[in-house]
Amino acid sequence: HTSNHISLAHETQEFIHQEVNDSRLKFSNENLTMLPMFAYPFGGCEQAGVREFSIIKNCGYTAAFTSVKGVCSNQTNIH
């Protein structure tokens, strides 16, 4: 997730990286285990697309979740 529950599609790549890293730091400061999975704050098609998938993957997450209905397979982009 992000630190401030922002809509990623409306932000710069640099700002998204900062939000994601701030969120990760909050987990660390609370001594919580950070899973390598990301939940998009606004997971619709207009809010999470190829650009956002790439950014989140580059932030080190192994998988991510949207709110788009569908079936995943071994051919599905898991970010």
Side-chain angles (χ1 to χ4, degrees):
H1 217 52
T2 60
S3 185
N4 293 300
H5 202 268
I6 59 166
S7 173
L8 302 182
H10 301 284
E11 301 297 341
T12 65
Q13 181 173 338
E14 295 78 18
F15 189 77
I16 294 170
H17 276 278
Q18 186 64 48
E19 280 286 311
V20 171
N21 289 330
D22 286 352
S23 179
R24 187 177 284 153
L25 184 60
K26 284 182 184 181
F27 275 94
S28 178
N29 288 342
E30 296 292 328
N31 293 320
L32 298 173
T33 300
M34 182 69 183
L35 297 175
M37 297 177 202
F38 185 83
Y40 289 96
F42 297 88
C45 292
E46 305 83 25
Q47 304 301 322
V50 174
R51 180 187 81 116
E52 291 75 30
F53 299 163
S54 177
I55 293 169
I56 296 306
K57 182 177 181 180
N58 289 333
C59 285
Y61 288 90
T62 58
F65 303 91
T66 68
S67 60
V68 177
K69 184 178 179 180
V71 177
C72 294
S73 71
N74 61 352
Q75 302 298 313
T76 305
N77 179 349
I78 60 173
H79 291 94

